[in-house]
Amino acid sequence: MGARVEVMVVEDDETVLGVVSDYLGGRGYAVTALRDGLVARDALRTARPDVLVLDRMLPGVSGDELCRQVRATAPRTPIIMLTALDTVEQRIDGLEHGADDYVAKPFALRELQLRIDALVRRSRAVHVSPAPFSLGPFRVDAAHRRIWADGAEMTLTAREYELFLFLLQNPDRTLTRDDILHGVWGWSFGEVSTVTVHVRRLREKIEPEPRYPRYLLTEWGRGYRFTVGAAA
């Protein structure tokens, strides 16, 4: 994968933290292992890991709150949430706080590694970027991963940027959630609620009125369609 991957793991269960750290460290990752949310918050003022792995239940500062804070200061840092909360609604709640992905406990170490690798590959990928282009009120400079709306640069997480770019490159096309999972996350299968949450978050940033979207439309029973045509 090229340069050594730096992973910060914040988990208050000493056994889980040790097992994950030993597993990743044994496979060449540079691992910073922390057990307290406050300590992690202080460390993240200067550290910029390639991937941040957060338990949701942490002492000091919860994983949810820490995720929100990181999103405010380093919006493109890839974040994976570890959660023992196993209902779809509880997992969606974790994504709503800004995580890019989640892994439910108990989990296979290999699965966690694969999800870390997928996030790093996409954040480090070198693409032949298309020339800057505009679509409706949106202007895109893919070479520098920047998007403007009505002349104002948007603040997007890494995953929100990738999702929005994918939609902008596929205008007026109905995309299923599986299409989006494959095109944006690189997964051939996965939890489609991940797409639902990220679409909701993106709407909050691109829509004048997110409850009544004019650009990112739901095609009921089919998926989503991005358009810059007349409001539906």
Side-chain angles (χ1 to χ4, degrees):
M1 193 177 290
R4 195 177 190 195
V5 175
E6 296 186 12
V7 181
M8 180 180 289
V9 183
V10 190
E11 164 63 67
D12 67 333
D13 186 308
E14 187 173 3
T15 300
V16 173
L17 182 63
V19 169
V20 170
S21 300
D22 289 347
Y23 180 87
L24 294 176
R27 282 153 182 78
Y29 299 79
V31 181
T32 300
L34 302 172
R35 294 183 59 192
D36 184 274
L38 284 172
V39 173
R41 185 179 66 184
D42 289 342
L44 286 164
R45 287 176 178 149
T46 55
R48 286 293 179 264
D50 294 299
V51 178
L52 176 60
V53 179
L54 282 178
D55 185 33
R56 289 191 69 186
M57 307 298 182
L58 292 171
V61 176
S62 71
D64 290 344
E65 177 59 27
L66 191 55
C67 184
R68 284 194 294 268
Q69 293 177 11
V70 171
R71 280 289 168 252
T73 58
R76 294 184 179 178
T77 298
I79 299 175
I80 297 175
M81 296 287 267
L82 301 179
T83 177
L85 307 174
D86 59 3
T87 69
V88 171
E89 291 77 12
Q90 289 164 331
R91 294 181 188 183
I92 286 175
D93 185 56
L95 291 170
E96 291 280 17
H97 289 92
D100 296 289
D101 197 1
Y102 64 80
V103 176
K105 298 177 181 179
F107 56 86
L109 291 167
R110 177 61 174 160
E111 178 189 1
L112 176 61
Q113 181 189 356
L114 289 173
R115 294 195 182 255
I116 289 171
D117 288 349
L119 285 172
V120 173
R121 275 197 304 271
R122 297 189 77 84
S123 65
R124 290 184 175 179
V126 177
H127 301 290
V128 177
S129 299
F133 67 95
S134 296
L135 192 65
F138 305 106
R139 183 166 66 88
V140 181
D141 180 355
H144 298 95
R145 297 175 64 88
R146 301 170 72 185
I147 301 177
W148 292 261
D150 292 318
E153 185 170 0
M154 303 181 67
T155 300
L156 302 170
T157 69
R159 190 66 80 191
E160 289 166 353
Y161 168 82
E162 290 162 1
L163 172 59
F164 196 18
L165 181 62
F166 183 69
L167 295 168
L168 286 162
Q169 292 173 330
N170 292 276
D172 296 308
R173 175 185 168 193
T174 298
L175 300 163
T176 68
R177 289 172 177 81
D178 286 337
D179 290 335
I180 296 172
L181 273 176
H182 181 72
V184 177
W185 277 260
W187 302 345
S188 57
F189 63 92
E191 176 55 67
V192 294
S193 62
T194 301
V195 174
T196 305
V197 171
H198 281 81
V199 165
R200 185 182 308 148
R201 281 166 39 187
L202 184 59
R203 276 180 174 151
E204 291 173 355
K205 296 186 176 183
I206 70 172
E207 298 286 358
E209 177 47 74
R211 292 178 59 193
Y212 305 101
R214 61 176 298 181
Y215 301 119
L216 182 44
L217 310 179
T218 298
E219 299 282 348
W220 295 105
R222 300 174 68 192
Y224 300 101
R225 178 170 56 89
F226 180 79
T227 183
V228 293

